[in-house]
Amino acid sequence: MKPDQILRLDPVVHAPIRLAVLSVLVTVENASFTFLKEATRATDGNLNTHLTKLEDKGYISIEKTYKGKKPLTLCSITAKGREAFLNYINQLESIVRGQKSDHNKMNE
Amino acid sequence: MENSHVQQELSIIREMIEKTKRETAETGYLFIVPGIHWFIAVVALGMIELNGPEAILKPIGIIATISLIGTSVFIAIREGMKEKVNSYPKILFARLWIACGISCIMTSAVFPYLGVYPHHMSPVTLFLVLGIGFFGTGAIYESRLIQLSAIVWWIGSLLMAVETGPIRLIIWMGVIFFGYIFPGLVLNRQYRNRTAPHET
């Protein structure tokens, strides 16, 4: 990865747990805190910190509700978060494409 | 080194999408359990209609219908309570079957009661609605087998329109098995295939 390309990558999405959270949320309407914890294998505190960062940036919304008598935290991606995630994917794609063309040039 | 970093990021995305797919797979119990219930009820009602006292046919029919609706609602709530993720296919699936469920009650109970058509003709419209439900379910869960099971309902509807004798019982049984229990088994197999690597 070239230094200028790394600089262009969104630092909020770049962290592995935050990238994992957005990857889940981009495919669903919403996901519970429990599922995100299981999927990312993060601890409660760690996941909470990352979710707060994403929420502060406006990438996700967090709703605290109840399922029966049990408290339930539901997370969903916002339009801004979806756009940021798709931009991130596009940048990864362009990096891969760049690396492929560099590799081809070297072979020639 | 640079490439491995990108590959690592892409593998995180892939892994999360796979995990979400597994979590959102439909178990099929919503069709299997009520399907078996309905199958037994139809056989029992058919036997009573052929041999038993006619007076008990209507009360047993009402009890069977209410308990079938109760079983379906109970399983739907139980499955809903276990869900950790709300996916778009699950939302679509729930909305489709709420619409079909309301239409089924109207075509099989309300319209015959209002005298729109005789009670023995209610399976004709009921089966049409269920065919639409299963066709939509097959499209949502990308299963051609479930989509094809809709044809069983539509053929069943046609046969029910022309047949008025005791063969109706066999048509009912065949349609419930191949059109209701079978799609449930297909969904359950999809669910097991998706969750199997997760358990190991």
Side-chain angles (χ1 to χ4, degrees), chain A residues 49-103:
Chain A
T49 310
H50 286 294
L51 290 180
T52 308
K53 259 188 192 159
L54 288 168
E55 193 187 25
D56 288 346
K57 190 76 180 168
Y59 287 179
I60 65 165
S61 65
I62 301 173
E63 186 196 352
K64 291 190 191 285
T65 177
Y66 285 89
K67 197 170 202 177
K69 286 179 181 173
K70 286 182 185 170
L72 177 72
T73 304
L74 289 174
C75 305
S76 52
I77 198 163
T78 60
K80 193 182 169 187
R82 193 177 292 275
E83 199 187 323
F85 181 79
L86 293 176
N87 279 339
Y88 193 82
I89 298 286
N90 287 337
Q91 281 169 343
L92 284 184
E93 266 180 7
S94 68
I95 291 168
V96 172
R97 256 186 268 123
Q99 279 175 351
K100 270 187 185 168
S101 64
D102 286 350
H103 185 73

Side-chain angles (χ1 to χ4, degrees), chain B residues 1-195:
Chain B
M1 183 70 181
E2 294 160 351
N3 189 35
S4 72
H5 191 85
V6 176
Q7 291 304 329
Q8 196 188 339
E9 304 237 311
L10 291 173
S11 77
I12 291 173
I13 297 166
R14 264 196 299 269
E15 189 192 343
M16 289 304 122
I17 291 170
E18 268 310 303
K19 279 184 178 172
T20 314
K21 259 187 178 179
R22 276 186 221 130
E23 187 63 33
T24 54
E26 183 57 46
T27 62
Y29 294 135
L30 197 57
F31 296 129
I32 298 170
V33 180
I36 293 168
H37 184 296
W38 197 10
F39 189 86
I40 294 167
V42 164
V43 173
L45 286 168
M47 294 300 172
I48 294 168
E49 198 173 1
L50 291 174
N51 306 309
E54 214 167 283
I56 62 164
L57 191 66
K58 206 170 181 182
I60 287 180
I62 292 167
I63 291 165
T65 308
I66 291 169
S67 69
L68 179 65
I69 294 167
T71 311
S72 304
V73 171
F74 173 75
I75 292 169
I77 291 171
R78 197 168 150 268
E79 296 274 299
M81 290 299 278
K82 282 197 276 182
E83 274 170 19
K84 296 176 197 153
V85 175
N86 265 332
S87 66
Y88 300 110
K90 284 224 171 193
I91 294 167
L92 269 177
F93 177 78
R95 303 276 156 87
L96 172 71
W97 282 100
I98 288 170
C100 287
I102 293 167
S103 306
C104 284
I105 292 168
M106 288 174 81
T107 55
S108 64
V110 179
F111 290 160
Y113 178 77
L114 292 175
V116 178
Y117 43 73
H119 192 77
H120 73 274
M121 292 310 283
S122 62
V124 178
T125 47
L126 177 71
F127 287 8
L128 284 177
V129 174
L130 287 168
I132 294 166
F134 281 99
F135 194 78
T137 302
I140 292 167
Y141 288 105
E142 295 168 1
S143 167
R144 197 165 285 182
L145 271 174
I146 299 175
Q147 276 190 301
L148 286 174
S149 74
I151 295 170
V152 174
W153 288 104
W154 294 328
I155 291 171
S157 169
L158 198 67
L159 293 174
M160 283 295 195
V162 293
E163 177 59 44
T164 51
I167 295 170
R168 282 169 76 96
L169 176 64
I170 296 161
I171 299 168
W172 265 107
M173 286 161 64
V175 165
I176 293 170
F177 185 79
F178 291 106
Y180 208 93
I181 300 170
F182 176 71
L185 294 171
V186 172
L187 281 173
N188 192 255
R189 199 185 62 184
Q190 271 186 359
Y191 172 74
R192 282 171 195 274
N193 285 345
R194 277 185 178 170
T195 50

